[in-house]
Amino acid sequence: MRFSQVFLYTLRDVPADAEVRSHALLAQAGFIQKLMAGVYTYAPPMWRTLQKISQIVREELNAQGAQEAMLPILQPREIWEESGRWERYVRDGILFTLQDRKESDACLGPTHEEVVTTMVKRAVRSYKQLPLNLYQIQTKFRDEIRPRFGLMRGREFIMKDAYSFDVDAAGLDVAYAKMRVAYTNIFRRCGLNFTIVQADAGAIGGTGGSEEFMVDAATGEDAILVCRTSGYAANVEKATSRRPAVPSRGEPKPMRRESTPGIKTVEALHGMFPDILPGQMVKTVLYVATYADKLQDVAVMMRGDRDVNEVKLANHLGALAVKLAEEADVRRMTGADPGFAGPIGLRAGTRLLADGSTEGLRNFLCGANATGYHLLDVNIPRDLPQPELGDFDTAMAGDGCPISDGTLEVTRGIEVGHIFKLGTKYSEAMKATFIGEDGKDHPFVMGCYGIGVSRIAASAIEQNHDEKGMIWPLPIAPWHCEVVQVVFKDALQREIAEKLSTELEAAGVDVLYDDRNLSPGVKFGDADLIGLPYRITVGRDAAQGQVEFVERRTGATEKMSIEAAKQRMIDLVRATR
Ligand code: ATP
Ligand code: MG
């Protein structure tokens, strides 16, 4: 394609709201334009990349026996009522809802479990029709609280979502394993460095396992705990660890109340009582949990040097959400100013939980539920009965690996894919059953599998760029190479560049031919910014049949014959197939 005819207009400046390089570069190169918060137009070069990613996704899913379909974006409220998710998604604010002229409620699909389950339950009657795996590559809508980083977190974005239907858990295991293989191939082929991590099943829920595919990137929104010894890797939302032990404070001493005016944090308390380590204190963290039909006050006892993992807490409670208590909530639960909460003497009706880290602590320090006071030398069960124990602890770098004697490190990643074993959560709720070999009705055993197609494109640039611009991995580059004719007016250069481009295209190489009447400097600058993986420069030596072959990533430049450059490019592209 000729640059002069492509809708591709680079900008001089980076948009002011770009916080990460991928966003800045995609916008500056004219690949994306913001229409409103979290909503972007994809210019033709961007669309070429998105289609190449989609094609890789298709090939790998088809290879595992999945079938492509296309499900509606516009969905009726009824099916979301059946699954029980309407209220939760509306409350979360994630759902874009609307009404039609008859005032029926509908939404724009943020995900498609309801639609696909409806589709399958109406069509599939017998176990003989299973297993099934259906997918689509479709625009999704989520009214994200913080749309940002360009395509990374859009409110309108492209997702591949797949849904498997099996007769039993063993069938689901097979479907899940196949998707895991497909995903590994997809992200590898897209040229991404990624880690597979254990994940929380989140709002989509389900009973079985769940893993995320995380592109390694310092700007990633997800924290991941990894162990180099065992290979353990888990999203911080899910990770467990061995906590560092704290020295015991000896035999139980009598509990006493100390005046601690204005001393509200673990650090300040350690300052006042230097012989009590933060790990020998208990902080009582207060939350309000939201359920479909009520709010519930919750207090969590946590070792002073550790933090509450709110995802684990919400899962344990089976709550729709948990929110840190605000000042008024704190006063209601404790009768005191914030900073003095403790497990003894909380208002009745507050559900008290204790993290495993507090188990066995002796003579600990905690809040007294009275402004300006803490309790010292508190002991369970002498001073209060053992509260309900659970794992509410946030794993941290430096903790012990849960499955080896290694140490956890923290890295960051961008979630590009997520695979879940749903089980029968949706099929039961939506009465989606098939007749089994035994002649009885059984709910479908389901899995769901998402890939952020538009997020992959952004992640690829987040991982592959330099100060000059983007560096596209060859398999997803909008074009495989750019042919640059250096001097616009030079007829011989033009002839050679045109012929080379045509021949490359004929051999299956996607070429962007820069035929514009611009200075070489501008053309080279654009080539670096747009970041096609290879550039063939037709310049001064063209008369001698020589061109320059430039690798964008390394800048390595080689002079060679036109024929050799052509063959090199053809071979490179063939190797990706
Ligand atoms: P996140 O935790 O990043 O909000 P999620 O867990 O809600 O994502 P899923 O429901 O698992 O997302 O969606 C499947 C995939 O779709 C994700 O792995 C991610 O790659 C992509 N995705 C999700 N939300 C967005 C978004 N707002 N913009 C772009 N891609 C997204
Ligand atoms: Mg997810």
Side-chain angles (χ1 to χ4, degrees):
M1 289 180 105
R2 287 165 182 271
F3 204 140
S4 61
Q5 285 160 27
V6 175
F7 190 103
L8 175 51
Y9 309 110
T10 58
L11 309 177
R12 210 174 284 275
D13 300 311
V14 177
D17 66 340
E19 294 173 78
V20 294
R21 288 296 283 162
S22 59
H23 181 189
L25 290 169
L26 285 167
Q28 200 187 347
F31 278 45
I32 59 172
Q33 256 184 31
K34 180 156 120 184
L35 187 61
M36 57 196 263
V39 179
Y40 289 84
T41 48
Y42 308 126
M46 187 74 247
W47 188 241
R48 289 179 68 91
T49 283
L50 292 171
Q51 285 192 297
K52 286 192 176 186
I53 296 169
S54 301
Q55 191 50 30
I56 292 173
V57 169
R58 275 193 188 99
E59 286 170 16
E60 296 299 334
L61 289 184
N62 293 349
Q64 299 298 332
Q67 301 175 56
E68 186 167 3
M70 190 53 126
L71 309 174
I73 292 173
L74 197 57
Q75 307 181 7
R77 172 174 180 160
E78 287 72 36
I79 58 174
W80 285 78
E81 291 286 355
E82 265 183 68
S83 70
R85 286 207 289 187
W86 180 268
E87 197 189 346
R88 173 178 191 154
Y89 273 60
V90 168
R91 192 194 294 263
D92 279 358
I94 206 88
L95 207 58
F96 280 105
T97 57
L98 62 152
Q99 287 195 330
D100 65 14
R101 63 176 73 219
K102 292 180 179 152
E103 294 182 2
S104 304
D105 286 322
C107 67
L108 303 180
T111 174
H112 280 73
E113 281 80 9
E114 283 77 3
V115 174
V116 77
T117 305
T118 302
M119 175 187 182
V120 170
K121 87 169 171 190
R122 288 179 182 166
V124 175
R125 310 228 164 277
S126 159
Y127 72 94
K128 290 179 192 153
Q129 292 161 278
L130 298 174
L132 267 181
N133 190 331
L134 299 170
Y135 74 94
Q136 63 170 344
I137 298 173
Q138 169 69 289
T139 301
K140 293 278 190 280
F141 294 85
R142 293 183 182 179
D143 196 358
E144 300 276 1
I145 298 175
R146 266 196 90 191
R148 56 180 188 158
F149 300 166
L151 302 189
M152 288 291 188
R153 185 167 295 284
R155 295 197 297 162
E156 172 174 334
F157 59 96
I158 303 173
M159 194 201 287
K160 182 288 300 174
D161 44 329
Y163 306 89
S164 65
F165 295 81
D166 279 275
V167 294
D168 55 19
L172 171 58
D173 287 347
V174 174
Y176 184 91
K178 284 185 173 179
M179 284 300 106
R180 203 173 190 274
V181 170
Y183 274 46
T184 303
N185 292 341
I186 289 164
F187 298 124
R188 201 174 280 149
R189 282 182 64 186
C190 288
L192 300 170
N193 291 323
F194 63 95
T195 309
I196 304 178
V197 311
Q198 292 178 26
D200 174 62
I204 291 183
T207 45
S210 160
E211 287 166 297
E212 287 163 341
F213 290 72
M214 293 284 188
V215 166
D216 311 328
T219 52
E221 291 186 273
D222 286 278
I224 303 161
L225 288 147
V226 296
C227 170
R228 287 183 204 281
T229 310
S230 65
Y232 176 82
N235 193 313
V236 67
E237 292 177 349
K238 166 89 180 175
T240 57
S241 66
R242 285 180 291 110
R243 286 177 290 270
V246 288
S248 167
R249 286 186 29 87
E251 286 308 304
K253 290 181 262 187
M255 182 172 94
R256 60 199 161 96
R257 189 169 133 127
E258 284 276 339
S259 170
T260 53
I263 309 286
K264 300 178 177 189
T265 63
V266 167
E267 254 167 48
L269 284 161
H270 183 51
M272 184 167 178
F273 305 101
D275 58 329
I276 310 179
L277 301 171
Q280 295 168 329
M281 302 180 189
V282 167
K283 55 188 179 193
T284 306
V285 192
L286 306 176
Y287 288 92
V288 178
T290 307
Y291 293 86
D293 54 346
K294 61 169 181 186
L295 298 175
Q296 167 74 51
D297 291 338
V298 176
V300 184
M301 292 174 66
M302 179 56 68
R303 206 170 84 182
D305 59 345
R306 308 293 299 186
D307 292 313
V308 175
N309 179 327
E310 295 180 2
V311 174
K312 289 182 183 176
L313 177 61
N315 288 346
H316 180 95
L317 293 169
L320 298 177
V322 294
K323 198 162 146 273
L324 211 50
E326 288 173 9
E327 193 169 329
D329 306 317
V330 174
R331 290 188 196 286
R332 177 178 70 244
M333 287 184 237
T334 67
D337 287 356
F340 303 97
I344 300 173
L346 282 168
R347 188 201 73 143
T350 304
R351 182 164 169 188
L352 180 62
L353 302 171
D355 179 63
S357 61
T358 61
E359 209 181 352
L361 286 182
R362 293 270 187 83
N363 297 322
F364 62 80
L365 182 160
C366 61
N369 294 321
T371 302
Y373 289 94
H374 279 83
L375 299 176
L376 266 69
D377 298 330
V378 180
N379 288 276
I380 294 174
R382 184 194 65 189
D383 306 321
L384 77 152
Q386 174 64 55
E388 178 183 342
L389 279 164
D391 171 20
F392 312 112
D393 185 27
T394 306
M396 303 196 278
D399 285 358
C401 169
I403 58 167
S404 75
D405 58 8
T407 303
L408 295 181
E409 290 171 38
V410 70
T411 66
R412 299 200 74 81
I414 303 165
E415 178 191 329
V416 286
H418 197 165
I419 56 180
F420 287 93
K421 290 183 188 172
L422 290 173
T424 55
K425 178 177 158 124
Y426 292 91
S427 48
E428 276 183 36
M430 301 183 73
K431 303 194 175 50
T433 60
F434 62 94
I435 300 169
E437 225 174 331
D438 58 3
K440 293 188 185 135
D441 281 345
H442 298 273
F444 295 104
V445 181
M446 293 173 57
C448 78
Y449 316 91
I451 286 186
V453 171
S454 42
R455 192 181 276 184
I456 287 180
S459 313
I461 295 308
E462 206 51 40
Q463 254 184 4
N464 301 284
H465 65 261
D466 61 16
E467 69 290 347
K468 290 187 256 171
M470 309 193 282
I471 306 172
W472 286 103
L474 187 59
I476 64 170
W479 295 272
H480 298 122
C481 73
E482 183 160 337
V483 170
V484 180
Q485 174 192 336
V486 177
V487 180
F488 177 75
K489 291 205 174 93
D490 188 315
L492 180 64
Q493 284 185 20
R494 167 170 316 238
E495 191 186 316
I496 291 170
E498 270 179 15
K499 182 159 176 284
L500 177 60
S501 302
T502 311
E503 289 175 0
L504 281 170
E505 295 266 10
V509 177
D510 298 334
V511 181
L512 179 66
Y513 162 36
D514 194 346
D515 61 337
R516 297 174 303 168
N517 184 7
L518 292 171
S519 75
V522 171
K523 290 187 183 185
F524 292 144
D526 276 353
D528 284 338
L529 174 60
I530 293 161
L532 302 185
Y534 300 98
R535 189 180 88 205
I536 301 173
T537 308
V538 181
R540 204 183 307 128
D541 300 325
Q544 283 77 51
Q546 298 277 304
V547 293
E548 265 179 13
F549 194 96
V550 186
E551 187 182 14
R552 171 66 182 86
R553 184 177 301 279
T554 57
T557 305
E558 253 184 273
K559 239 185 213 148
M560 59 180 80
S561 71
I562 298 166
E563 204 46 42
K566 190 172 100 187
Q567 198 53 50
R568 165 90 57 101
M569 209 46 241
I570 291 171
D571 292 344
L572 283 163
V573 170
R574 272 202 192 129
T576 66
R577 299 234 160 94

